[in-house]
Amino acid sequence: MLIRSAKFLTSNTRVDQCPVPDKPEYAFIGRSNVGKSSLINMLTGHKGLAKTSAQPGKTQLINHFIINDTWYLVDLPGYGYAKVSKTSRTAWERMIKFYLRERPNLSCVFVLIDSRHPPLVPDLEFIEMLGTMEVPFVLVFTKADKQSASRTQQNVADYTQKLGETWDELPRLFITSASEKTGRDDVLTFIEEVNQQLAQNPDNA
């Protein structure tokens, strides 16, 4: 997929204020400081599209971007650690769950996982929640450049083994590095394939 254009549209906290659900939508989410903004910027080829910050938990809204005027990319608030109040964290969680449940054109959720860590409870819990809600998703392991390839593969294998304990079929997974652009073509090709499937079978959108 060639990214010809990527533009910010809107930020909000309510699903009914999101853009008209007339295009396929792909949401990106992960624990705070997983490298979500850097990955989004790498995928779109626009360095400053998603705002990066050294302070975890800066994304606090549902952020919509329009890509190639044909599909939406959504930057969601992170889950897990963030230096915010319990009240704010609860509000984020409620907002995210409502979005995942009610957004009719949500085609896939990209769950970002820091490849440097073994399976972590917040990631596993969020994945289980998506399964319970029957929301389609894939796993994206980030920051692969921060360690050896063998270490990354081991942590990925640990995740798949852990998920295999409760899942009959494992989700598709991607290994990425924002700085080295690893996985960019794979992720964009996947999105393009889903877009084509939806175009051929609009009743399943």
Side-chain angles (χ1 to χ4, degrees):
M1 177 189 293
L2 177 65
I3 301 299
R4 299 182 302 275
S5 63
K7 298 177 289 186
F8 169 76
L9 285 182
T10 183
S11 295
N12 60 76
T13 60
R14 293 176 50 176
V15 174
D16 60 359
Q17 293 178 346
C18 289
V20 176
D22 58 353
K23 298 175 178 62
E25 187 157 299
Y26 301 86
F28 287 69
I29 190 170
R31 288 187 304 109
S32 298
N33 207 29
V34 75
K36 177 162 50 72
S37 296
S38 296
L39 180 72
I40 290 173
N41 292 338
M42 180 270 281
L43 291 175
T44 60
H46 287 64
K47 189 174 181 180
L49 189 68
K51 305 302 182 183
T52 59
S53 173
Q55 180 181 348
K58 291 298 288 184
T59 303
Q60 302 181 20
L61 301 169
I62 301 171
N63 300 299
H64 269 81
F65 303 87
I66 180 73
I67 312 299
N68 290 348
D69 293 320
T70 58
W71 55 278
Y72 295 123
L73 185 155
V74 180
D75 183 4
L76 292 174
Y79 54 82
Y81 170 83
K83 290 184 178 179
V84 297
S85 67
K86 184 177 180 180
T87 301
S88 295
R89 190 177 299 113
T90 300
W92 290 359
E93 292 172 354
R94 186 182 304 114
M95 175 178 67
I96 292 169
K97 288 181 180 179
F98 194 78
Y99 165 83
L100 294 172
R101 185 173 62 249
E102 300 296 333
R103 188 64 172 162
N105 59 326
L106 180 60
S107 303
C108 187
V109 174
F110 288 78
V111 182
L112 276 55
I113 296 172
D114 192 328
S115 67
R116 298 173 297 177
H117 303 301
L120 298 175
V121 171
D123 290 327
L124 295 172
E125 288 181 344
F126 187 78
I127 290 169
E128 289 298 325
M129 183 188 74
L130 290 175
T132 300
M133 297 174 68
E134 298 184 348
V135 175
F137 71 95
V138 296
L139 304 181
V140 180
F141 290 87
T142 64
K143 303 186 179 182
D145 60 294
K146 304 298 184 182
Q147 62 186 357
S148 67
S150 60
R151 185 61 184 171
T152 296
Q153 291 293 343
Q154 182 59 57
N155 285 338
V156 170
D158 290 344
Y159 261 97
T160 56
Q161 180 180 0
K162 187 67 176 178
L163 291 175
E165 296 175 3
T166 54
W167 289 75
D168 292 330
E169 183 178 350
L170 296 180
R172 190 164 176 177
L173 62 88
F174 302 91
I175 295 175
T176 67
S177 163
S179 61
E180 297 182 356
K181 297 186 178 181
T182 304
R184 183 175 190 269
D185 290 343
D186 293 336
V187 172
L188 292 179
T189 297
F190 170 76
I191 293 174
E192 186 172 36
E193 291 172 350
V194 175
N195 284 344
Q196 290 174 350
Q197 292 171 6
L198 294 173
Q200 295 169 1
N201 302 282
D203 292 339
N204 295 327

